[in-house]
Amino acid sequence: MEVLSPRGLSPAGPRPDPAAHLPTAKGVEEEEEGEDWNKENREVASPRGGEGKRQQQVKSHPVFPLGSDWPNYPLLVTQSDPKSQEVGKVVPVNAELIDVDSSLFRGKTFIFVNTGRTSQDGAAQATAAAERHHRSPHQHQRGHEGLEDLEELGKRRSSFTLKGRFKRRVRFADLLIGHEFNDGVIYPPKWQRAIILGFLERFFPHLKVSLTRKCASAMAPVAIECRRLRVRDLSADADNGNTDECGHELFNVEESTALLGGYFAEKRRSPKERMKFFGRRKNLEDFWFEPGYEYTFEFFQKNLSFVDYKLRFGLISLGIGRIVKGRPVQFLIKHAPTREYLCYFQFWSEKLLKCWM
């Protein structure tokens, strides 16, 4: 069967195995630039027994499906168990709703990734995804909220819309979203570090970054990082004869938080007002996600490509594949006190795997 290129324009022949080049456990030479935050696996090797080039012991990599089994080649998204060494279940993006069922939450999520090179590619992919679900990207655009038009939607590198119910009460302060790298990261040069930390401080001021010898993480409260949030009381809707569950919004969820009560019941609040309100720790401590309500969360970001693993800030781009040792960025939400995961998705790519160490 003829295999088309990622753009679908011309035959590309059999897809290569993205994991074929991964290093074995014999070790690879550490590049001169930067230091390794995780030094446990580092060893010194010299055929003469003297000082030699430092080498880093490489951990064995997971077993990946062949490139022909990557539904979004050169991108592979997996729904994984964070405690397992297995790659996990391969899931399609830009296409289907994905079931999420954990000890904390039950629902569905829609994952969108711009696998093209331009915002026009992203807009076209978003439109195609919406049409497959018989929706318009503008379906929920209302009033003065300033929700993204199609051009703005095309600028997103990725978005995640999660909808469902909690299985028990969860305090807002305890539910976090972010990324974890349990094998540590490579310490980048100072100029790269300044760019990365400056970017995080400007756009994610509530992000807590932890860097240790054994692991690295960047986490923030869901209530702050969520770009759109809607809360519905389905039992009240049923009592009023309204059984329409509004489907599953793919993009531009309408902000509706009156059911949170207090400050949010006084008048309609914008996403910006919600983020500012929960920027105060006390407010995060006082609010709870309740099992009786349905929650819809929309997250998106415009800077990191999951295809080439480059952070882009205007005209500047910075590859992070080597910094994270070829480990994938995640879409994860976790309950901090119990370390339970609401969801855990990993974003692999052919270019990322070339940085595995």
Side-chain angles (χ1 to χ4, degrees), residues 279-292:
R280 294 188 287 274
R281 180 72 186 184
K282 182 181 184 304
N283 293 337
L284 281 174
E285 296 285 351
D286 290 342
F287 281 75
W288 296 74
F289 294 106
E290 302 287 355

Side-chain angles (χ1 to χ4, degrees), residues 6 23 25 43 46 98 107 167 175 195 211 239 260 278 301 307:
E43 61 181 14
S46 171
I98 303 166
K167 296 182 178 180
L175 196 67
I195 291 176
L211 303 173
D239 291 341
L260 294 179
F278 287 121
Q301 57 88 21
V307 176

Side-chain angles (χ1 to χ4, degrees), residues 39-162:
K39 299 181 180 180
E40 285 192 343
N41 294 320
R42 180 178 291 169
E43 61 181 14
V44 177
S46 171
R48 297 184 180 181
E51 286 191 4
K53 290 186 178 180
R54 290 183 298 182
Q55 293 189 332
Q56 183 180 357
Q57 190 71 19
V58 176
K59 292 186 177 181
S60 59
H61 57 76
V63 177
F64 288 87
L66 296 175
S68 58
D69 295 324
W70 290 36
N72 302 101
Y73 182 85
L75 172 75
L76 182 73
V77 181
T78 60
Q79 187 174 20
S80 310
D81 177 357
K83 298 179 182 179
S84 171
Q85 297 298 318
E86 302 296 327
V87 170
K89 175 185 175 182
V90 176
V91 295
V93 298
N94 305 353
E96 302 173 8
L97 299 179
I98 303 166
D99 290 329
V100 173
D101 192 358
S102 68
S103 58
L104 292 172
F105 185 91
R106 175 177 293 172
K108 294 181 181 293
T109 187
F110 179 80
I111 299 177
F112 169 77
V113 178
N114 180 354
T115 57
R117 297 184 178 181
T118 66
S119 59
Q120 289 78 14
D121 293 334
Q125 291 172 2
T127 300
E131 289 175 349
R132 278 193 292 271
H133 290 263
H134 308 291
R135 291 172 174 80
S136 164
H138 307 286
Q139 180 179 0
H140 300 282
Q141 185 167 338
R142 296 188 177 101
H144 57 80
E145 291 280 328
L147 301 180
E148 285 75 9
D149 57 16
L150 190 58
E151 181 180 357
E152 189 68 16
L153 189 63
K155 295 178 181 179
R156 298 185 186 183
R157 296 290 176 178
S158 62
S159 70
F160 317 96
T161 307
L162 176 68

